[in-house]
Amino acid sequence: MGLMILFYSLFVALASIPVFAQVVVNDVTQLNPVVVDQVIVPTTVEEIQQVVKNYSGPISIGGGRYSMGGQTVVDQGLQIDMRSFKRILAIDLQNKKITVQTGIRWRDIQDVIDPLNLSIKIMQTYANFTVGGSLGVNVHGRYIGQGPLIRSVDSIKVVLADGSLVMASPTENSQIFYSAIGGYGGIGVVVEATLQLVDNVKVERVVERVPTKDYYRYFMDRIRDNPKVVFHNGDLYAPKFDVVNAVSWNKTDKPVTIQERLIPRNQKYWFQPRAVHVLNNIPYGRELRANVIDPWIMRKEVVCWRNHEASYD
């Protein structure tokens, strides 16, 4: 009987100790687990305002969580998970603008604007990032002559540290505008953005092999101010880095060779990174890729819609 009483007393004592369930937040690599105090998943601006105003500790903001190294989460703080804050609020067809909540992914916007023959003016190469995350780091893409994302943003709404909601643009509350875009969430939560759109046009792939030492002049003479070039990237071949595979996508009136308007979602990409790894670690792998594999892959004429080339996963 005495032993049972002892066990019962121990159980009561343990039960009286408060237990705080730890919440672990990670990025897509699953290499950077961080323990946070709590996570909220807002769907309204008011929810964000309340938690920012009332929470006394550090606050971090997460979207697609593609920023690696734990950049989107703070230890033992509050995480605002924006992925359910993803509504399209307005589309202005006449002026080619769209207003969205910032937890939306670029691909979700593309699904809506592609049937309207409109395209996002500036974004990064991959479409599964959130608008808010892209604004937070002021991303750039492969868009020739366009610059970083901020140059296509008409206005934003920001929840500041005191919970107030502020409209900001290059002409209204401009200090907040230029501090929030590229500010990594440092001054508040960007909850809404009005973005410029452009026409969705057909683009043709043009591939040229350029010695690295000549690439700067090639880019300045042939690409930089060429109004036909929409996308451009220059791929270097390790380990010598002496040749650039210059890939441009130019406006064209030719019929499309790829019928799909957007790249299908949820495809498996397990082969590509493994193939690159193997080629980078075998004798003459670089030569094999540069002189055989890539020329073979890019041998055909390719014409697609701008939105297709902008919808990589």
Side-chain angles (χ1 to χ4, degrees), residues 91-108:
I91 301 177
D92 182 346
L93 294 178
Q94 182 175 355
N95 295 304
K96 298 177 183 176
K97 296 178 183 180
I98 188 168
T99 302
V100 298
Q101 294 179 328
T102 51
I104 196 169
R105 297 175 191 260
W106 295 107
R107 176 54 189 261
D108 296 324

Side-chain angles (χ1 to χ4, degrees), residues 55-275:
Y55 188 76
S56 59
I59 297 175
S60 61
I61 311 155
R65 296 177 180 171
Y66 287 91
S67 298
M68 297 177 287
Q71 296 176 27
T72 60
V73 59
V74 61
D75 185 51
Q76 300 300 332
L78 169 72
Q79 164 92 164
I80 303 177
D81 184 342
M82 298 289 283
R83 287 175 291 184
S84 293
F85 194 74
K86 57 182 182 180
R87 291 172 52 211
I88 292 176
L89 303 174
I91 301 177
D92 182 346
L93 294 178
Q94 182 175 355
N95 295 304
K96 298 177 183 176
K97 296 178 183 180
I98 188 168
T99 302
V100 298
Q101 294 179 328
T102 51
I104 196 169
R105 297 175 191 260
W106 295 107
R107 176 54 189 261
D108 296 324
I109 297 175
Q110 289 171 333
D111 284 341
V112 173
I113 66 174
D114 183 75
L116 304 173
N117 278 321
L118 293 173
S119 185
I120 294 160
K121 186 175 182 179
I122 302 173
M123 57 177 283
Q124 63 272 79
T125 299
Y126 299 100
N128 38 351
F129 295 82
T130 61
V131 169
S134 300
L135 289 168
V137 300
N138 193 21
V139 300
H140 66 83
R142 298 174 292 148
Y143 298 88
I144 292 301
Q146 296 298 339
L149 176 59
I150 194 171
R151 295 180 65 183
S152 67
V153 182
D154 269 21
S155 64
I156 57 175
K157 288 184 180 178
V158 188
V159 174
L160 300 178
D162 62 357
S164 61
L165 180 65
V166 177
M167 172 76 81
S169 73
T171 57
E172 179 183 0
N173 296 312
S174 60
Q175 286 187 321
I176 291 176
F177 181 81
Y178 290 112
S179 298
I181 299 178
Y184 287 82
I187 70 163
V189 185
V190 180
V191 295
E192 186 177 305
T194 297
L195 308 167
Q196 299 167 14
L197 304 174
V198 294
D199 292 329
N200 186 28
V201 297
K202 290 182 287 186
V203 291
E204 178 184 16
R205 185 178 67 190
V206 177
V207 183
E208 297 181 87
R209 192 68 58 88
V210 183
T212 303
K213 63 182 178 61
D214 299 329
Y215 178 72
Y216 173 78
R217 181 46 53 197
Y218 164 83
F219 181 84
M220 297 303 291
D221 291 346
R222 303 274 299 279
I223 306 299
R224 175 64 177 84
D225 298 314
N226 187 340
K228 290 185 177 181
V229 180
V230 176
F231 307 99
H232 177 82
N233 53 280
D235 300 324
L236 289 158
Y237 293 103
K240 294 181 180 179
F241 304 105
D242 56 344
V243 175
V244 179
N245 198 43
V247 182
S248 299
W249 293 84
N250 299 345
K251 296 176 186 177
T252 183
D253 292 323
K254 294 180 180 179
V256 294
T257 62
I258 298 176
Q259 298 302 317
E260 295 165 333
R261 303 271 301 193
L262 296 165
I263 297 173
R265 289 179 182 252
N266 302 317
Q267 294 193 97
K268 303 299 181 183
Y269 295 97
W270 62 269
F271 176 75
Q272 291 94 325
R274 287 168 175 80

Side-chain angles (χ1 to χ4, degrees), residues 23-27 32-37 69-71 73-77:
V23 182
V24 177
V25 174
N26 212 327
D27 57 42
N32 302 284
V34 178
V35 177
V36 300
D37 179 39
Q71 296 176 27
V73 59
V74 61
D75 185 51
Q76 300 300 332

